[in-house]
């Protein structure tokens, strides 16, 4: 057993009481989302109802999951906490670093050698700190979580945006940055803006070529890539309960594409069957005891418009299969309209590659339905025209579908089975192509299809559909083929129509696996050494950041006055830099290289006030650090918007920047800066931004009396000897002021933990 049954039992024991307490506070019938959120409030029930879309609320998630790319910095930070074990059950999954090229065996073996030091680090740090470790080849994080860890009513955070997949098994599961994962593992609360609620009522029943994927493709078309922002989607209705658990997972998974905080389904018979089928009958038995609270109240579902902020209704009996794209997952086409759209828009009609699987769509049901199409092609002498690629989501699924003959069917039609990993879904695809820039089309059953996502080619038109539609179109080799109405020609020249797909939700002989690829952590990890070579350029053990010296800040050099948009991507660029995400010093060489310098309108070219020369920004900051001189970043509105990336806060801190003064912050980044012990301040009067000159030396006063709601003062010393001064604001609460004084939140956790041992 890899899951924590005791934790789940304890949770269910107190769950109904918490829901009843919530009723008194909220005072109206409850959605499922409200029941689960209130049951996970940090340190007991609150005595106030929270305002949707406004209140920031602390939660206590039950579990943390991390993928191998993002886990590196999260765990390097966790090591700083001084704790000997993680505070909540946590797992690491090695799935993102495996490049797909020729097939599962060779690709996995190459990845193990190329990423050896990262895997060794993750395996050893997991072993030491009580974290479950899923080895390379074990599977994709979200499929493995669904098969092993998700449970109805639970709350989980994961360092990956498709963590939301676990909503298919009734878990509120939310993607976060590594700093949040570190906090929860270290025993701190996790903050979330209380979400708005969107109800999705599903009526009718799926049939024929239509599958669960088509529901989310349709929802994406309705809500667009931004329509779910700040909201949780709660699915309900007869159509919802008729969907398989893994089908529900597919829908929740792709909810990330509409910007939703997460999506969720209520506990039902399909979830119970899936729990039993994946070796968790005990969890189903516990959930059965509180099942009335693992779904929304009847009154809510009878009158959803009264209790949700928005309601969408979809009749599954009328839903057509959809194909979405290109370049965005919300461009939704019912299949009956798609061929015309391809011709009208002049998209490449030839389908070069069909790819099925990934964490989104590689369930037993998906594979068996796709295989039922592939089998027809082989049986009827139809040659597959496109390349065809299969990515199983986990070793358990791969082993089971291989045992049941499905992989043979795909291989017979020329399909290539990749390692149980992300591969082409995240651009880890050494695609065989003579011209990597040519215009071409691919169709996947993945979730994202933004330009360059799969193969790095901006001219690849990537479309998204269900595995069975992808398989049918790959056989036809054409985007304009509609399997619902069109015929294919077999090797005898006869016209053949593909029958509707047939699938099985759960394997009749049960799931099986020889080696699932799981390493349980040591009971006592105190003697385990974390494997990091001091000469590594990919990994570096962190040093605690220095504490504040207790004095006002004086003589700060202006590192940059950034103009316009400055997202976390401008502050810490991705792409090739991600290789160094476990090595703070190396990745710091990308600090702010995407930001525009106000004074010369150039990126990565700033004045070094020590020499008067212009140079790259990271080098300039390293010169200030070497000289023992503090510095400050000044920027425009919404500084640090974009994905929560802890590197964007850690890099300036590491290189010696002390303060960030902006017109406004993106909230998550502002909190990340505070956690790292930086001073994050805003102009009281935004016009004061204009007073800052290139050669300014800057003081920050009133820090010695740093207090909640008490402004600070900035003094500018201009080169001509004149000065300017103005008030600046901050949003530090008492706890956060302590973080600043201690040099960062982790320094406090470490001290508290050490004190508790005395
Ligand atoms: S398969 Fe794709 S969507 Fe799923 S975790 Fe991997 S990269 Fe993300």
């Amino acid at each position: 057993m890899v899951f924590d049954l005791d934790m789940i039992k304890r949770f269910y024991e107190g769950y109904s009481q918490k829901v009843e307490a919530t009723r008194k506070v909220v005072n109206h019938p409850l959605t499922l989302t409200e029941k689960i959120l209130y049951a996970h409030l940090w340190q007991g029930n609150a005595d106030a109802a929270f305002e949707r879309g406004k209140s920031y609320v602390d939660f206590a998630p039950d579990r943390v999951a991390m993928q191998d790319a993002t886990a590196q910095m999260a765990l390097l930070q966790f090591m700083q906490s001084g704790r000997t074990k993680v505070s909540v059950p946590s797992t690491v999954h090695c799935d993102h670093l495996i490049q797909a090229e020729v097939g599962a065996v060779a690709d996995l073996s190459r990845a193990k050698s190329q990423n050896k030091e990262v895997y060794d680090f993750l395996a050893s740090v997991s072993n030491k700190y009580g974290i479950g470790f899923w080895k390379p080849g074990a599977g994709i994080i979200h499929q493995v979580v669904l098969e092993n860890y998700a449970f109805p009513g639970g709350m989980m955070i994961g360092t990956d945006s498709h963590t939301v997949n676990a909503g298919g098994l009734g878990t509120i599961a939310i993607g976060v940055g590594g700093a949040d994962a570190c906090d929860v593992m270290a025993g701190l609360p996790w903050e979330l803006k209380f979400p708005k609620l969107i109800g999705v009522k599903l009526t009718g029943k799926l049939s024929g070529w239509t599958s669960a994927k088509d529901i989310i493709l349709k929802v994406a078309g309705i809500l667009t890539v931004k329509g779910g922002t700040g909201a949780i989607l709660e699915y309900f209705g007869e159509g919802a309960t008729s969907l398989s658990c893994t089908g529900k997972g597919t829908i929740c998974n792709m909810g990330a594409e509409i910007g939703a905080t997460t999506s969720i389904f209520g506990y039902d018979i399909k979830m119970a069957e899936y729990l039993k089928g994946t070796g968790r009958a005990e969890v189903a038995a516990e959930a059965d005891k509180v099942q009335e609270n693992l779904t929304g109240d009847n009154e809510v579902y009878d009158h959803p418009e009264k209790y949700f902020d928005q309601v969408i209704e979809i009749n599954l009996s009328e839903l057509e299969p959809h194909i979405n794209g290109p370049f965005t997952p919300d461009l939704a086409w019912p299949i009956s309209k798609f061929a015309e759209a391809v011709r009208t828009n002049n998209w490449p009609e030839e389908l070069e590659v069909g790819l099925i699987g990934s964490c989104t769509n590689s369930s037993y049901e998906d594979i068996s339905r796709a295989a039922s199409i592939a089998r027809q092609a082989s049986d009827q002498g139809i040659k597959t025209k496109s390349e065809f690629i299969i990515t199983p989501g986990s070793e358990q699924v791969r082993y089971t579908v291989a045992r049941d003959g499905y992989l043979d069917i795909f291989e017979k039609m020329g399909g290539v089975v990749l390692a149980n990993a992300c591969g082409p879904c995240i651009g880890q695809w050494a695609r065989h192509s003579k011209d990597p820039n040519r215009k071409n089309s691919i169709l996947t059953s993945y979730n994202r299809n933004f330009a360059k996502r799969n193969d790095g080619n901006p001219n690849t038109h990537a479309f998204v559909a269900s595995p069975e539609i992808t398989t049918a179109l790959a056989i036809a080799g054409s985007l304009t083929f509609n399997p619902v109405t069109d015929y294919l020609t077999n090797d005898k020249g006869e016209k053949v129509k593909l029958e509707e797909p047939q699938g099985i939700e759960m394997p009749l002989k049960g799931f099986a696996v020889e080696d699932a690829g799981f390493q349980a952590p040591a009971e006592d990890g105190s003697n385990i050494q974390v494997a990091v070579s001091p000469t590594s350029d990919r990994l570096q053990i962190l040093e605690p950041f220095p504490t504040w010296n207790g004095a006002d800040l004086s003589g700060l050099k202006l590192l940059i006055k950034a103009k316009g948009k400055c997202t976390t991507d401008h502050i810490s660029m991705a792409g090739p830099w991600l290789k160094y995400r476990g090595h703070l010093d190396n990745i710091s060489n990308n600090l702010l290289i995407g930001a525009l310098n106000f004074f010369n309108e150039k990126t990565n070219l700033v004045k070094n006030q020590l020499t008067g020369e212009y140079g790259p920004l990271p080098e300039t900051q390293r010169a200030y650090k070497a000289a023992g001189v503090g510095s400050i970043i000044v920027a425009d509105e919404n500084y640090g918007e974009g994905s929560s990336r802890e590197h964007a806060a850690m890099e300036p801190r590491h290189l010696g920047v002390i303060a960030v003064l902006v017109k406004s912050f993106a909230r998550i980044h502002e909190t990340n800066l505070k956690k790292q012990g930086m001073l994050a301040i805003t102009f009281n009067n935004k016009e004061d931004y204009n007073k800052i000159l290139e050669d300014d030396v800057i003081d920050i006063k009133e820090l010695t009396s740093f207090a909640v709601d008490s402004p600070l003062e900035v003094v500018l010393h201009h080169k001509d000897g004149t000065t300017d001064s103005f008030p600046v604001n901050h949003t530090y609460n008492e706890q956060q002021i302590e973080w600043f004084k201690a040099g960062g939140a982790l320094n406090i956790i470490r001290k508290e933990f050490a004190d508790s041992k005395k």
Side-chain angles (χ1 to χ4, degrees):
M1 185 195 299
V2 299
F3 60 98
D4 190 333
L5 184 59
D6 288 343
M7 178 271 283
I8 295 173
K9 276 185 173 168
R10 276 197 305 278
F11 170 75
Y12 282 137
E13 272 162 21
Y15 179 64
S16 288
Q17 270 173 315
K18 288 181 179 169
V19 172
E20 290 319 310
T22 305
R23 289 187 191 290
K24 291 186 194 128
V25 170
V26 173
N27 216 11
H28 64 66
L30 296 171
T31 62
L32 170 63
T33 307
E34 286 165 317
K35 290 180 185 179
I36 302 178
L37 288 178
Y38 277 90
H40 286 88
L41 293 174
W42 176 251
Q43 287 169 357
N45 288 303
D47 50 12
F50 298 108
E51 217 179 328
R52 294 180 190 172
K54 295 225 168 100
S55 309
Y56 285 88
V57 183
D58 280 347
F59 291 98
D62 305 304
R63 163 167 291 284
V64 173
M66 293 163 280
Q67 44 102 327
D68 48 3
T70 48
Q72 295 168 50
M73 190 51 84
L75 289 169
L76 286 162
Q77 287 183 86
F78 174 77
M79 289 169 69
Q80 291 291 300
S81 74
R83 287 195 170 268
T84 51
K85 268 204 181 347
V86 284
S87 297
V88 299
S90 306
T91 47
V92 167
H93 304 261
C94 296
D95 54 3
H96 275 62
L97 304 178
I98 300 170
Q99 191 185 43
E101 187 173 2
V102 288
V105 175
D107 293 348
L108 183 58
S109 149
R110 196 178 57 254
K112 281 182 182 169
S113 99
Q114 280 173 349
N115 302 311
K116 186 173 183 321
E117 63 177 326
V118 174
Y119 293 149
D120 287 350
F121 163 67
L122 293 174
S124 58
V125 76
S126 298
N127 199 13
K128 183 171 181 69
Y129 293 107
I131 300 167
F133 178 69
W134 291 84
K135 300 173 195 170
I140 305 170
I141 175 168
H142 315 303
Q143 176 74 22
V144 174
V145 165
L146 196 73
E147 287 173 3
N148 295 280
Y149 300 117
F151 67 94
M155 180 188 253
M156 183 181 93
I157 58 165
T159 59
D160 188 277
S161 47
H162 293 98
T163 300
V164 292
N165 187 72
L169 196 33
T171 302
I172 294 268
I174 299 176
V176 297
D180 285 354
C182 171
D183 287 351
V184 173
M185 290 188 292
L188 293 180
W190 172 66
E191 188 191 72
L192 175 75
K193 192 198 270 186
F194 203 88
K196 293 196 167 190
L197 303 183
I198 299 177
V200 186
K201 182 175 183 180
L202 302 179
T203 60
K205 197 164 193 294
L206 294 174
S207 63
W209 282 91
T210 311
S211 73
K213 180 76 158 200
D214 300 303
I215 300 172
I216 187 60
L217 294 176
K218 172 85 181 169
V219 170
I222 296 169
L223 284 176
T224 77
V225 288
K226 288 207 173 127
T229 307
I232 293 186
L233 272 70
E234 182 170 325
Y235 289 82
F236 61 95
E238 60 181 8
T241 44
S242 66
L243 297 171
S244 66
C245 178
T246 50
K248 293 175 169 90
T250 295
I251 293 169
C252 294
N253 180 302
M254 248 194 101
E257 270 38 75
I258 51 171
T261 303
T262 192
S263 307
I264 193 158
F265 283 80
Y267 180 60
D268 60 20
I269 186 75
K270 298 288 189 180
M271 289 190 192
E273 283 168 5
Y274 187 72
L275 284 168
K276 289 173 195 161
T278 49
R280 291 172 288 170
E282 302 99 319
V283 177
E286 294 297 321
D288 284 344
K289 293 180 196 163
V290 292
Q291 57 182 293
E292 72 281 2
N293 279 326
L294 292 174
T295 182
D297 290 346
N298 290 338
E299 166 70 12
V300 169
Y301 294 157
D302 289 345
H303 303 283
E305 63 293 341
K306 281 165 64 181
Y307 303 103
F308 290 100
D309 300 288
Q310 184 181 352
V311 179
I312 295 169
E313 186 166 335
I314 299 173
N315 182 346
L316 304 190
S317 304
E318 294 170 358
L319 184 65
E320 265 192 75
H322 275 61
I323 298 180
N324 287 21
F327 305 125
T328 183
D330 57 357
L331 196 53
W333 304 98
I335 196 149
S336 59
K337 303 261 175 0
F338 185 61
E340 191 191 329
V342 170
R343 292 188 189 108
T344 309
N345 291 291
N346 206 16
W347 295 326
E349 213 171 306
E350 181 194 349
L351 175 59
E352 293 199 9
V353 194
L355 304 99
I356 66 166
S358 88
C359 68
T360 328
N361 269 106
S362 65
S363 64
Y364 193 87
E365 184 182 30
D366 289 329
I367 298 291
S368 60
R369 278 173 68 86
S372 78
I373 303 302
R375 190 202 305 265
Q376 293 180 51
S378 312
D379 289 353
Q380 305 208 48
I382 305 167
K383 212 168 165 324
T384 303
K385 300 230 175 54
S386 308
E387 267 185 69
F388 190 63
I389 289 173
I390 306 100
T391 306
S394 73
E395 176 58 9
Q396 177 164 276
V397 156
R398 189 210 64 80
Y399 187 94
T400 309
V401 298
R403 178 200 68 189
D404 295 349
Y406 294 125
L407 294 189
D408 288 344
I409 295 171
F410 292 133
E411 280 168 351
K412 219 164 153 189
M413 69 177 268
V416 174
V417 179
L418 298 178
N420 314 317
C422 301
C425 183
I426 190 71
Q428 288 275 32
W429 187 17
R431 186 175 170 189
H432 312 130
S433 172
K434 288 195 195 97
D435 175 5
N437 292 316
R438 79 196 182 294
K439 209 171 155 185
N440 74 100
S441 290
I442 65 171
L443 179 59
T444 83
S445 73
Y446 306 163
N447 42 35
R448 282 200 175 146
N449 60 345
F450 298 115
K452 303 206 271 185
R453 164 98 177 169
N454 302 112
D455 62 356
N457 176 0
N459 296 314
T460 293
H461 292 54
F463 297 87
V464 180
S466 68
E468 45 272 50
I469 290 289
T470 303
T471 307
L473 269 62
I475 291 165
S478 171
L479 279 187
T480 54
F481 176 67
N482 177 357
V484 182
T485 53
D486 298 349
Y487 287 77
L488 295 167
T489 306
N490 70 9
D491 51 6
K492 297 193 197 91
E494 297 160 345
K495 286 180 92 181
V496 179
K497 188 151 183 315
L498 295 171
E499 299 289 328
E500 290 173 351
Q502 303 291 329
I504 308 169
E505 283 180 22
M506 303 273 283
L508 300 176
K509 289 188 268 174
F511 283 107
V513 67
E514 259 172 20
D515 176 6
F518 178 68
Q519 170 194 287
E523 274 299 314
D524 175 4
S526 53
N527 291 324
I528 290 165
Q529 289 294 318
V530 175
V532 174
S533 159
T535 57
S536 170
D537 69 348
R538 288 179 75 177
L539 293 162
Q540 181 188 39
I541 299 287
L542 297 172
E543 294 292 329
F545 290 132
T547 54
W548 174 54
N549 65 7
D552 283 345
L553 304 174
S554 62
L556 304 181
K557 304 290 187 196
L558 176 68
L559 176 59
I560 183 173
K561 176 170 159 178
K563 181 179 176 186
K565 224 176 180 31
C566 207
T567 68
T568 46
D569 214 43
H570 293 86
I571 304 168
S572 177
M573 216 172 246
W577 293 97
L578 293 184
K579 182 179 170 209
Y580 302 115
R581 63 198 315 162
H583 196 296
L584 182 57
D585 194 52
N586 283 349
I587 200 169
S588 294
N589 288 328
N590 75 0
L591 175 66
L592 282 160
I593 61 175
L596 198 66
N597 183 354
F598 177 92
F599 300 107
N600 58 15
E601 305 254 329
K602 293 202 162 90
T603 54
N604 202 20
L605 195 67
V606 292
K607 188 170 188 180
N608 178 336
Q609 290 194 29
L610 300 175
T611 62
E613 314 229 310
Y614 285 84
L617 193 140
E619 273 175 36
T620 306
Q621 178 53 36
R622 283 187 191 277
Y624 292 150
K625 185 177 185 183
V629 178
S631 63
I632 179 168
I633 294 164
V634 173
D636 222 311
E637 298 278 8
N638 212 13
Y639 180 80
E641 67 179 297
S643 56
S644 167
R645 198 172 295 167
E646 66 268 37
H647 296 89
M650 296 178 77
E651 288 177 26
R653 179 75 167 114
H654 170 67
L655 291 185
V657 179
I658 294 176
V660 182
L661 169 60
V662 300
K663 289 184 184 171
S664 65
F665 281 107
R667 186 183 162 95
I668 293 175
H669 184 64
E670 182 183 21
T671 307
N672 282 346
L673 287 169
K674 292 175 183 174
K675 278 183 190 163
Q676 301 301 340
M678 300 274 293
L679 188 62
I681 45 181
T682 52
F683 292 99
N684 182 49
N685 176 1
K686 291 181 183 179
E687 294 300 311
D688 289 338
Y689 172 88
N690 298 322
K691 293 181 179 159
I692 294 184
L693 305 178
E694 191 171 26
D695 293 297
D696 281 353
V697 175
I698 299 171
D699 301 338
I700 300 175
K701 299 197 161 169
E702 313 297 344
L703 261 183
T704 45
S705 50
F706 196 8
V708 177
D709 294 333
S710 165
L712 303 173
E713 187 191 9
V714 160
V715 181
L716 307 177
H717 300 275
H718 302 305
K719 198 178 178 187
D720 65 3
T722 60
T723 59
D724 262 312
S725 66
F726 48 81
V728 290
N729 300 326
H730 69 83
T731 59
Y732 286 71
N733 59 30
E734 274 170 20
Q735 172 72 70
Q736 291 167 339
I737 289 172
E738 292 310 309
W739 292 350
F740 174 76
K741 290 180 176 170
L746 283 172
N747 288 349
I748 292 196
I749 298 172
R750 190 172 54 252
K751 182 168 179 310
E752 284 174 356
F753 190 68
D755 290 347
S756 73
K757 293 270 161 202
K758 281 178 190 160

